[in-house]
Amino acid sequence: MIWIPGGNFIMGSNRFYREERPARAAAVDGFWIDRRPVTNAEFRRFVLATGYLTLSERAPDPAVYPDADPSLLAPGSLVFMKPDGPVDLRDYRAWWAYVPGANWLHPEGPESNVDDRWDHPVVHVAFDDVVAYAAWAGKAIPTEAEWEFAARGGLQDATYAWGEEFAPDGRAMANTWQGRFPWENLAEDGYEGTSPVGAFPANGYGLYDMIGNVWEWTASVYALPRPAAEKQSCCQPKESVDHSASRVVKGGSHLCAPNYCLRYRPSARQSQPLDTSTTHIGFRCVVR
């Protein structure tokens, strides 16, 4: 873990999406934070030690989803499916699908595995899953303010975790989407999906993958700084009507592209329902 000294900073941004506004003064106390996102190998140690089953490995309770298609009430998770060509960007169902059998060990479904991805971030973890891991490890989930302060790497109000230029001297600084989302992935950064943790440069605090690769859970309940600005986020599979049942996720992912979701920045944020896991959300832990 890396010690973050804490301090005052400008949280949010007035330059991008409405859910980041207004830019405002914030402060955090010092804390330790994982140098990298939790990997498949690390999560496997937790599962082997505890026998834990993630939410995506458990059958959904029909009482919780009374209007659901019974055929979908099987263990599974949301998987990104790249369309063959351009689609309506207003309809996330064109690229997200609930896949029975998809979970952290089988990210794309029952026929897939993580045999060559043990050093990639674990995905298909819902909020209760990351809380359980953190408790087992003697750690906690960062708040949104802690996460954003750490992601900024000591820079005040910079657009990216490394400064103002997205690709300084043409160098890829994070795992994001190149091409026209969601159907054209040029993979110019070397990866079409997730990447090994630490594959891209660390920020000023020595933290890897704070931006891109996978979104990361925080402990903060989702709320908009300005309720009148309520609008469904572009990147997520679904939006909970009850925001108390959602948490803030931060950092963007390998599915974020300039033509659709310019959220690979420290100030970027979106809400994620507690009961939803996907192929592009992971986490890291803190110790206070």
Side-chain angles (χ1 to χ4, degrees), residues 141-208:
I141 305 302
T143 65
E144 180 181 6
E146 288 170 336
W147 194 101
E148 185 169 329
F149 184 86
R152 291 186 177 278
L155 300 177
Q156 279 286 355
D157 200 29
T159 298
Y160 303 107
W162 51 86
E164 290 301 322
E165 189 175 354
F166 174 63
D169 298 322
R171 184 183 187 186
M173 301 296 287
N175 181 359
T176 62
W177 184 288
Q178 298 85 54
R180 290 165 289 184
F181 183 86
W183 62 277
E184 178 189 54
N185 191 341
L186 302 177
E188 293 171 345
D189 57 13
Y191 300 97
E192 186 162 356
T194 58
S195 51
V197 297
F200 295 86
N203 74 359
Y205 288 143
L207 301 173
Y208 293 91

Side-chain angles (χ1 to χ4, degrees), residues 11 19 125-131 140-145 147 215-224 233 236-251 268-278 280-283 288:
M11 185 173 178
E19 68 266 19
V125 282
F127 186 72
D128 284 352
D129 302 330
V130 306
V131 169
I141 305 302
T143 65
E144 180 181 6
W147 194 101
W215 287 92
E216 297 184 15
W217 285 101
T218 76
S220 297
V221 174
Y222 182 80
L224 288 166
S233 177
Q236 64 192 45
K238 70 175 185 178
E239 177 88 11
S240 172
V241 174
D242 179 9
H243 286 308
S244 67
S246 299
R247 293 294 186 273
V248 175
V249 293
K250 299 281 284 183
R269 63 197 298 268
Q270 67 178 37
S271 76
Q272 184 65 22
L274 299 179
D275 62 352
T276 303
S277 59
T278 75
H280 73 330
I281 298 178
F283 71 107
R288 301 183 183 93

